[in-house]
Amino acid sequence: MSGLLRIWAVLRKELTQLRRDRVTFGMIVMIQLIQLLLFGYAINTEVRHVPVGVVDQSQSGLSRVLLQMVEATQVARVTRHFTSMEEAEAALRAAEVRAVLIIPKDVDHRVARHPSVGLGLPPSTDEETSRPVAQWLVDGSDTLIAAAIKSLRNMPLAELLDKPANRGVPTFEVALLYNPEQRTAVNIVPGLVAIILTMTMIMFTSAAIVRERERGNMELLITTPVRSMELMVGKIAPYILIGAIQVTIILGIGHVLFRVPINGDLLHLAAVTLLFITASLTLGLIISTIAVNQLQSMQMTVFILLPSILLSGFMFPYEGMPVAAQYIAEALPATHYMRLVRGVVLRDVAITHMWPDMLWLAGFIVAGLAVASMRFKKRLD
Amino acid sequence: MTEAVIEAQDVSRHFGQVQAVQGLDLRVERGLIYGFLGPNGSGKTTAIRLLTGLLGPTRGKINVLGLEIPRDADKLRRHIGYMTQKFSLYDDLTVGENLDFIATIYGLSSHARRARIDALLQTYELTDKVDRLAGSMSGGQRQRLALAAAVLHEPELLFLDEPTSAVDPENRRDFWEKLFDLSAQGTTILVSTHYMDEAERCHKLAILETGVKRADGSPEQLMSAMGAKVVELAAPGLRQLKKTLIALPEVISAAQLGARLRVLVSDRVADPIAFLRNQADVPADSELSLTRASLEDVFVTSTGKRAAS
Ligand SMILES: Nc1ncnc2c1ncn2[C@@H]1O[C@H](COP(=O)(O)OP(=O)(O)O)[C@@H](O)[C@H]1O
Ligand SMILES: [Mg+2]
């Protein structure tokens, strides 16, 4: 009973301070708005309009049509024309263009012999039919750009000769569920909830406690009857509310601005989110028992945040990562929440079907609180 | 002998190589105002933190209000009040919110809270400041707020760590009046200071230097047991005279106070006035008189140094 009263005292104090701290309060809203817009608009794994250069050694009508076809794919945009290979390579090195298309002198001849054109001319030797029409020189350091240019490898050539395209029957039929239009934002926005919560929840709690120690408030608090656990619960409770506000804003704006569907049950969404918020707050508490000043708590937050962005499945699919990275990812609460939130929001999975991730988060909270209150001694040394 | 509320035996605490407190023996009886007098770095704060259980001792035994510290520190919390050296309430809360927070932590019901806080605001002259942010108040106001918070749960034992360091002399006098009021109501007070005049107001005190207790007792006891006599000497050319006198083994210290020289002469000399007159450098027409010892003289004889103030 008096324990509850003490928790209430800490909680109310925390809310009053938060209300006065305009900057922090503004950050709570602004950070995520900016991130949402940045990530929502900027992150696009579909590469388009790569600036490329051309070395056209044939200068024929055919080569001009070929260029138009390349541009029509929207993958590449011809920005430069070079007269020599040296010039082209220099521009590639200077990153003025990301790839160079070299059209050889005998391009007409090569096109005519190309099997995809299917002119059925006098039998050509194997060597001749296996010769490509032109060559791409790509800055391969960025694998996404390289992959985009590679996708042009089998660009159909039939149109070049005004022949109907030879559309063969595909080996597989692919039906795209949950995100049929293949918009990146649909996958990014729910993931962004996990990333923003990871950042703000860990940062705010760890800083809130470390600040108290830095300013000397802790010396007074520990001479009062307040218990470690009461202090911690009282301190993190207001942030649960703030976390809930953040999720509402991100998904709300994501829904309106980026047409992200909310397919799942809102109650299920609330349940998994509450678990994750509490897990992140617990992590912040643990950090606060290790860091001695706010700079350190900030550094430790970033130390957790970076792998959460890179390994949680937010940027790259979990399944594609090396096994070692998967182990690290499994240790991060963000990875588990990433699965849960995408599951509920995009695929309408009932949380009863995702209990391993739920259980993991619950276990993390219990263990984390135990570790934090063990480390948080009511002593100065 | 009256009951002891604080007893410490051979308590030491070091931080790495630094000996913050060394072999401290202490006995504080109920109802006293007990002082820790010492310059900065002499171990006052560390000693108070050891006695309140905020720090564990490297060695030694501590008993406060019959509880073994630091083992039973949790049980001690309700019975002691602690005013830290650095203001440790919340700058971004108002006077009223700070007091309400502390009162709730101590489990006062909302009705009891209001009555107690109103009374404290009255006593510590903060009623018209109740809606001011603590961070925007003067040193004296913050100090009164901190004291109000420390006594809110009516502790029987109060620790005050340099409570007047950020306060002007007039406020210091008022503050001590409040302490005497608390003492009269039966609160035992342990207060640290580096001001001689404050130490002189204590019933008993301990002089600390580099973590070691050099002397303890009531101010009067300390002055009479000082082992030296105080002679004031008025003469021209004091600066040169001071140097020659200090070189004498019987002279413990000499300090210039305006036109006079305050000389501490060891008790080994039976007649200090005659002794000084016989010194060749002392002009024949000098005025010499024995004066009452002050606490500063006690401090100098027990530590060999003048206090910082
Ligand atoms: N937490 C600490 N870590 C390291 N050294 C400390 C710590 N606290 C105090 N000290 C050292 O112990 C000595 C006594 O300090 P303190 O008790 O604060 O003295 P006072 O309160 O009389 O000024 C000083 O030399 C100080 O530097
Ligand atoms: Mg101190």
Side-chain angles (χ1 to χ4, degrees), chain A residues 12 20 215 219 380-381, chain B residues 13 49 54 82 86 92:
Chain A
R12 197 181 39 169
R20 297 235 163 87
R215 291 191 187 161
E219 187 170 1
L380 285 175
D381 53 353
Chain B
R13 167 73 206 215
R49 285 175 174 168
L54 286 180
Y82 177 29
K86 187 172 172 286
D92 47 357

Side-chain angles (χ1 to χ4, degrees), chain A residues 297-325:
Chain A
S297 78
M298 217 55 97
Q299 288 170 330
M300 291 183 203
T301 304
V302 172
F303 182 75
I304 304 283
L305 183 63
L306 275 181
S308 296
I309 292 177
L310 296 175
L311 304 182
S312 64
F314 174 62
M315 300 279 274
F316 314 109
Y318 173 89
E319 292 77 7
M321 292 190 300
V323 178

Side-chain angles (χ1 to χ4, degrees), chain A residues 18-82:
Chain A
L18 209 56
R19 191 160 46 83
R20 297 235 163 87
D21 186 357
R22 293 263 163 74
V23 178
T24 304
F25 206 73
M27 289 229 305
I28 289 169
V29 178
M30 288 313 291
I31 283 182
Q32 49 177 331
L33 276 185
I34 292 170
Q35 299 238 15
L36 179 64
L37 296 179
L38 278 182
F39 280 94
Y41 281 119
I43 292 193
N44 207 338
T45 46
E46 194 188 342
V47 180
R48 284 165 164 236
H49 307 302
V50 179
V52 301
V54 176
V55 182
D56 187 352
Q57 292 164 342
S58 89
Q59 296 291 345
S60 61
L62 193 66
S63 68
R64 275 187 289 281
V65 180
L66 187 64
L67 282 183
Q68 278 168 13
M69 283 179 56
V70 167
E71 288 210 305
T73 62
Q74 295 200 357
V75 169
R77 180 166 46 98
V78 178
T79 55
R80 300 278 301 271
H81 288 268
F82 304 109

Side-chain angles (χ1 to χ4, degrees), chain A residues 42-175:
Chain A
I43 292 193
N44 207 338
T45 46
E46 194 188 342
V47 180
R48 284 165 164 236
H49 307 302
V50 179
V52 301
V54 176
V55 182
D56 187 352
Q57 292 164 342
S58 89
Q59 296 291 345
S60 61
L62 193 66
S63 68
R64 275 187 289 281
V65 180
L66 187 64
L67 282 183
Q68 278 168 13
M69 283 179 56
V70 167
E71 288 210 305
T73 62
Q74 295 200 357
V75 169
R77 180 166 46 98
V78 178
T79 55
R80 300 278 301 271
H81 288 268
F82 304 109
T83 48
S84 74
M85 283 300 295
E86 289 73 33
E87 219 183 307
E89 276 173 24
L92 199 59
R93 205 171 305 119
E96 287 162 24
V97 293
R98 305 304 293 266
V100 177
L101 179 61
I102 301 149
I103 304 176
K105 267 198 172 62
D106 56 346
V107 65
D108 306 35
H109 192 62
R110 289 182 185 220
V111 166
R113 303 248 163 164
H114 200 267
S116 81
V117 175
L119 284 183
L121 277 178
S124 47
T125 66
D126 274 348
E127 211 210 309
E128 274 183 326
T129 50
S130 63
R131 275 205 308 175
V133 168
Q135 186 192 12
W136 279 102
L137 222 55
V138 185
D139 169 3
S141 49
D142 190 321
T143 50
L144 279 180
I145 288 185
I149 302 289
K150 272 185 181 165
S151 73
L152 294 177
R153 254 200 310 212
N154 293 323
M155 192 177 78
L157 287 176
E159 288 166 42
L160 216 49
L161 304 171
D162 284 334
K163 282 204 55 176
N166 176 14
R167 301 203 194 283
V169 179
T171 314
F172 300 111
E173 185 182 319
V174 179

